[in-house]
Amino acid sequence: MKLIIIALILFGVSSVAASTQSPYVGEESNEIKSMSPSEINGLLQGNGMGFAKAAELNQYPGPRHVLDLAEQINLSSQQIEQTNRVFESMREKAINLGAQLVEYERKLDALFSSRQISASALDAILLKIGETRAMLRGAHLHAHLEMKKILSHHQVLMYDNLRGYSSGSGNHKHTH
């Protein structure tokens, strides 16, 4: 009986210790504490990173994936050309804004690590981070809006099917 009580006590102590460990363990060595290396890399490369998920999952295809599926959704040469223009424009904006966002996050990290941060400096850098993140998300979402103008309703349905999306509740409305 004593053995069971000791085992339960030890299990309880180890459970408490495990539950107090931060999910950030290991991230203290990151170049920018608030970002993983893969996040930084994704931003600098103009990757989507879920910025346009609201569009993607509501039948507004993304240009990169449309190009990947060009043959399967029967894109015309004109549609391929238009999609390439949308993608390149979005990518250029996303790379520039991603680089700005990484730099603002780097500045935020430096303010904290130097112990030179004040409430007003914090508010100023957070405003820049928020504005830049919103513009970055907008660059991705606007590209999805443009794709809706380029593709037919049937192509959008084929795209969704090929990407593995179900039709959901059936509330999708066609606006072409």
Side-chain angles (χ1 to χ4, degrees):
M1 186 66 162
K2 285 183 184 181
L3 220 56
I4 293 173
I5 293 172
I6 292 171
L8 288 173
I9 290 171
L10 289 176
F11 177 75
V13 169
S14 67
S15 294
V16 169
S19 68
T20 60
Q21 186 174 21
S22 171
Y24 308 136
V25 169
E27 294 180 21
E28 61 275 13
S29 62
N30 285 355
E31 175 189 354
I32 300 171
K33 305 298 183 265
S34 62
M35 303 177 93
S36 71
S38 65
E39 287 173 300
I40 293 169
N41 190 45
L43 289 167
L44 296 177
Q45 291 184 8
N47 296 344
M49 301 174 58
F51 284 115
K53 196 173 186 180
E56 177 74 14
L57 297 178
N58 281 296
Q59 295 193 315
Y60 286 80
R64 170 74 274 150
H65 303 299
V66 167
L67 289 170
D68 292 342
L69 298 171
E71 191 174 307
Q72 293 98 314
I73 63 174
N74 302 314
L75 286 187
S76 69
S77 58
Q78 181 183 13
Q79 287 176 310
I80 291 172
E81 186 179 307
Q82 291 171 318
T83 303
N84 271 314
R85 277 196 304 268
V86 169
F87 175 71
E88 288 304 323
S89 174
M90 181 273 308
R91 186 171 180 272
E92 182 180 333
K93 290 174 191 169
I95 287 172
N96 290 330
L97 291 165
Q100 287 176 31
L101 183 57
V102 168
E103 189 54 34
Y104 289 141
E105 289 285 352
R106 183 176 279 112
K107 287 179 181 177
L108 175 65
D109 190 68
L111 286 169
F112 274 103
S113 68
S114 70
R115 312 294 190 260
Q116 298 299 311
I117 194 154
S118 66
S120 62
L122 176 61
D123 290 344
I125 195 73
L126 288 176
L127 185 58
K128 289 179 181 180
I129 289 170
E131 288 173 344
T132 305
R133 185 171 286 278
M135 289 188 301
L136 177 57
R137 189 171 187 199
H140 286 282
L141 288 166
H142 281 286
H144 284 249
L145 281 178
E146 289 301 310
M147 291 312 305
K148 192 74 165 188
K149 296 175 189 174
I150 294 169
L151 302 175
S152 71
H153 178 65
H154 180 68
Q155 287 172 316
V156 171
L157 293 177
M158 287 191 310
Y159 172 92
D160 279 356
N161 184 51
L162 289 166
R163 295 279 289 161
Y165 308 142
S166 67
S167 61
S169 64
N171 291 333
H172 300 295
K173 293 184 174 80
H174 176 61
T175 58
H176 287 262

